[in-house]
Every structure is written in structure tokens, then in C-alpha cells.
Amino acid sequence: MSEYVITINSTSDLPKDWVWEREIPVVPLNCTIGGKTYRDMYDLTAEEFYGMLENGEMAVTSQPSPQTAIDILEPILKKGKDILHLSFTSGLSGTYNSMCIAAEELREKYNVATAVSGKIALNFLEKRKTAAFIKPSSGKAYVILTQEKCTAK
């Protein structure tokens, strides 16, 4: 049974300091404000962001590119670890789709298993032998990549 790493995107609503202390890999969304593009949770603090808004700047956000996701996820797979990625829901953002595209490219390169089923995801968490993309009603989407054999029933 291999180890796994939980990764998140920057819309996770987890405190930045808490995330960094635990060394949780973050796939950032982008925010363009004041003519400059920032990576959420990396380049701009919440205080700086809201300060710019208070000064009349307009903000535009954009989903991460699949390549950005690959750049963050691939080193984990290279170490032989599985990934459980907690993502933003597809109903509100294209972020989930970017993660699915990245997962598909990584699946082809690393022969990782992917499937669509909440039951498979539960099996992964319990027995660590499957992988899944699931979109529960909670508003979060989960992308699980594993290099172990998929044994879904």
C-alpha cells in the first residue's frame, strides 16, 4: 500500500498558515488586479487583495491551467505516492475541469487509475486500491490518483 498526499486548490477556505505549516501542495487559481496577475495563496495576501479592492481596483479570477496542476501533482507521482486532490466544484468554476484534464494526462504517463464513483472513492480511502473523480453535494470535487491496481466492483 503506497502513501498518499492530499492536495488542494486555493479555494479550499483553509487558513494559509495552516496549509503551509502542513506542507499541503496547493494548485492556485489566478487573480488579476491592478493590471498584474497573482497566484492565489502564493503571491498576494488577503489583506493586500481587499486593500486593492477598497482602493477601487477590479479583480478578475481564472482557473489554473492543466499544466499548472501537472507541475504540482507530477513530482508527487514521481515519488510513487498517490494523490487525493480537493477541488472547487464544477458548478461554480472550470477548476475541476482543469484538474480532470491534468489527471488524464498524468494517467497516461504514469498509468494511474481513474474512475467515476463515490463508492470507488470510499473504497480508496478505506483500502487504498482504487481511484476516483467524484462530485458530492457538498460543493467540493475530489480527484484521486493512485498508481495501485484499480479493483473497483
Side-chain angles (χ1 to χ4, degrees):
M1 188 180 305
S2 65
E3 294 180 36
Y4 69 98
V5 174
I6 295 175
T7 63
I8 61 173
N9 69 28
S10 59
T11 62
S12 65
D13 294 332
L14 295 172
K16 182 178 176 178
D17 291 339
W18 188 90
V19 169
W20 294 145
E21 285 171 10
R22 287 154 182 80
E23 299 180 0
I24 299 171
V26 177
V27 178
L29 275 71
N30 300 304
C31 177
T32 301
I33 189 166
K36 184 174 178 187
T37 300
Y38 301 90
R39 296 171 303 153
D40 188 22
M41 289 187 78
Y42 286 91
D43 303 325
L44 189 65
T45 67
E47 292 80 16
E48 291 169 328
F49 173 77
Y50 288 111
M52 290 178 179
L53 291 180
E54 288 173 0
N55 289 330
E57 297 287 350
M58 294 294 294
V60 177
T61 60
S62 61
Q63 69 196 47
S65 69
Q67 188 59 53
T68 296
I70 289 169
D71 291 346
I72 292 168
L73 302 178
E74 188 169 27
I76 298 166
L77 293 172
K78 281 183 177 179
K79 292 178 183 175
K81 296 182 179 182
D82 297 339
I83 299 168
L84 168 58
H85 179 78
L86 308 179
S87 185
F88 202 39
T89 179
S90 63
L92 298 175
S93 171
T95 301
Y96 176 77
N97 187 53
S98 289
M99 296 308 300
C100 289
I101 292 168
E104 183 62 23
E105 288 186 33
L106 291 168
R107 185 190 65 77
E108 292 171 7
K109 189 171 183 179
Y110 291 92
N111 195 31
V112 293
T114 58
V116 181
S117 169
K119 184 176 181 179
I120 293 171
L122 291 175
N123 187 39
F124 172 83
L125 294 172
E126 291 173 5
K127 299 181 182 175
R128 306 273 300 111
K129 293 185 179 178
T130 62
F133 299 108
I134 60 173
K135 295 190 304 182
S137 60
S138 68
K140 296 290 181 186
Y142 301 86
V143 178
I144 303 172
L145 300 176
T146 180
Q147 297 179 60
E148 296 183 18
K149 183 178 179 183
C150 186
T151 58
K153 296 179 181 177

